[in-house]
Amino acid sequence: MPQSLLIITGHSQGLGRAVLDHYLAQNDFQILAISRTKLEIESPRLTQLSVDLSELPVLEEQLGDIFPTGDFEKIILLNNAGWIGEIKPIGNLQPKKLRTQVNVNLLAPMYLTNAFIKFYKTHQAQKIVCNISSGAASRPVSGWGGYCSTKAALAMFTLVAAKENKSETFHFYSLAPGIVDTGMQGEIRDSNESDFPEIEKFKSFKEENKLTSPEEVALKIEKLFRSPDQFKEVIQDVRSFELN
Ligand SMILES: NC(=O)c1ccc[n+]([C@@H]2O[C@H](COP(=O)([O-])OP(=O)(O)OC[C@H]3O[C@@H](n4cnc5c(N)ncnc54)[C@H](OP(=O)(O)O)[C@@H]3O)[C@@H](O)[C@H]2O)c1
C-alpha cells in the first residue's frame, strides 16, 4: 500500500490526540508526532519526539534531522500545538510567559513550516501544511492578547507561504477548529471574570453541550487532507465543512 506521512505537533492530548488516533487507524500513514509528552503507544508507524516547542534552541538543533525521507504519496505538516497562555489583560502579562506563548504558538510553527518547505520542496508528493488557527485570529478578545496576536500572525505567515509556493503539489491552510472540548477550554473556564470578561459565555458553551468533540474535528481535518483540491482558500474554518 502506498505510504503517506503525517507530521503533527501537540499529539499528546486534545485535538492533536484525536487526529493521531484517526491516522493510527489508517494503514497507509506513517506518523511523526511531537509534544513534550510521549504517549504509551507502540506502533511501527508512529515515531514520537519529546520536544518542548517553547525551547527554540532545542528545536533549531533538531530541525535538520527530523524530517523522514521516503517515496511518500502525500506529506502533511499539521502545526497543532498551542497554548491559550496567561489569561490576563495586557499590562498584567508576565514577559516570560508571553515569550513561551509566542514561541509555541508562532515561532515553532514558523520554524517547522520554513524547514518543511525547504526539505520537501522538490519531493514529488502532494504536500499540505496546515497551521491550526482560531476565531481569535480575527477577533480581539479581552484577556487573550498573546493568543489572538500569535494566531493572527501565524495566519499571515501561512498566507505568505501559500503565495510564494503556488504549485499543484503544495497546499497551505490556516484552519480554525471551532470550539473544541479539550483541556484548553478547561483552562479558559478556570480563568477569572476580572481577567476574562467572556468567561460566562465559555462556561455556558460547556454546560449547554455546545463544544465540538475533538474526534468530530479530526474527521473534518481528515476531509481537508484527503481532498485539498476541494479547498481552494488558505483561510479555513471547520464549521463550514460538511461531513458526508
Ligand atoms: N480547544 C479549542 O476550543 C480551540 C479553539 C480554537 C483553536 N484551538 C487550537 O487548537 C490546537 C489544539 O488545541 P487543544 O484544544 O487540543 O489544546 P490542548 O488540549 O491544551 O493540547 C495542546 C497540545 O499542545 C501541546 N503543547 C503545548 N505546549 C507545548 C510545548 N511547549 N511544546 C510541545 N507541545 C506543546 C500539548 O502537548 P504537551 O503538553 O505534551 O507538550 C498538547 O498536546 C491549538 O493550536 C489551539 O490553539 C483550540
Side-chain angles (χ1 to χ4, degrees):
M1 187 178 280
Q3 284 290 304
S4 291
L5 171 68
L6 170 68
I7 303 166
I8 178 173
T9 67
H11 71 291
S12 65
Q13 61 176 44
L15 178 56
R17 177 65 200 261
V19 173
L20 174 74
D21 288 345
H22 181 86
Y23 279 95
L24 274 176
Q26 321 283 312
N27 285 328
D28 53 346
F29 266 85
Q30 289 187 32
I31 305 165
L32 171 65
I34 305 168
S35 289
R36 287 167 298 188
T37 314
K38 278 191 181 178
L39 299 171
E40 304 261 326
I41 298 176
E42 291 295 330
S43 164
R45 291 188 293 107
L46 174 64
T47 304
Q48 299 187 65
L49 288 182
S50 175
V51 179
D52 184 339
L53 293 171
S54 73
E55 299 286 343
L56 296 179
V58 177
L59 185 61
E60 279 164 21
E61 259 177 40
Q62 300 198 1
L63 261 184
D65 304 323
I66 63 168
F67 293 114
T69 51
D71 189 18
F72 300 114
E73 195 178 19
K74 185 179 284 208
I75 307 175
I76 301 167
L77 171 63
L78 177 58
N79 279 307
N80 163 76
W83 183 39
I84 190 69
E86 218 184 353
I87 301 181
K88 287 197 180 303
I90 298 167
N92 293 345
L93 295 169
Q94 298 176 56
K96 278 188 183 164
K97 289 192 173 171
L98 200 48
R99 185 176 64 196
T100 298
Q101 183 179 37
V102 172
N103 288 354
V104 174
N105 288 10
L106 179 58
L107 277 170
M110 286 169 81
Y111 278 25
L112 281 162
T113 301
N114 181 55
F116 180 93
I117 293 170
K118 184 175 182 186
F119 195 85
Y120 290 118
K121 194 162 188 136
T122 56
H123 198 294
Q124 78 290 350
Q126 182 180 56
K127 295 160 292 261
I128 301 173
V129 176
C130 181
N131 292 326
I132 294 292
S133 186
S134 166
S138 51
R139 178 176 86 88
V141 182
S142 297
W144 292 6
Y147 189 70
C148 293
S149 310
T150 50
K151 291 297 187 183
L154 185 58
M156 180 52 79
F157 191 75
T158 315
L159 283 162
V160 174
K163 190 167 190 177
E164 290 171 347
N165 292 282
K166 283 204 168 74
S167 90
E168 279 169 19
T169 63
F170 261 119
H171 297 270
F172 290 87
Y173 298 108
S174 172
L175 179 69
I179 303 173
V180 196
D181 198 0
T182 66
M184 182 177 283
Q185 283 295 323
E187 281 186 65
I188 292 168
R189 290 191 300 274
D190 285 344
S191 63
N192 298 311
E193 191 167 12
S194 55
D195 295 323
F196 181 48
E198 294 188 37
I199 190 166
E200 284 308 321
K201 185 171 84 181
F202 279 78
K203 283 183 175 172
S204 72
F205 287 152
K206 178 72 175 171
E207 285 157 11
E208 295 166 16
N209 288 322
K210 288 187 176 155
L211 300 174
T212 315
S213 74
E215 292 74 22
E216 184 179 335
V217 179
L219 286 178
K220 292 186 171 181
I221 290 174
E222 196 269 342
K223 181 175 181 178
L224 176 75
F225 292 168
R226 188 169 10 103
S227 313
D229 291 335
Q230 290 176 20
F231 297 86
K232 301 287 181 207
E233 302 300 323
V234 175
I235 305 292
Q236 294 284 347
D237 189 322
V238 299
R239 284 169 286 199
S240 67
F241 294 11
E242 298 290 335
L243 282 179
N244 45 24

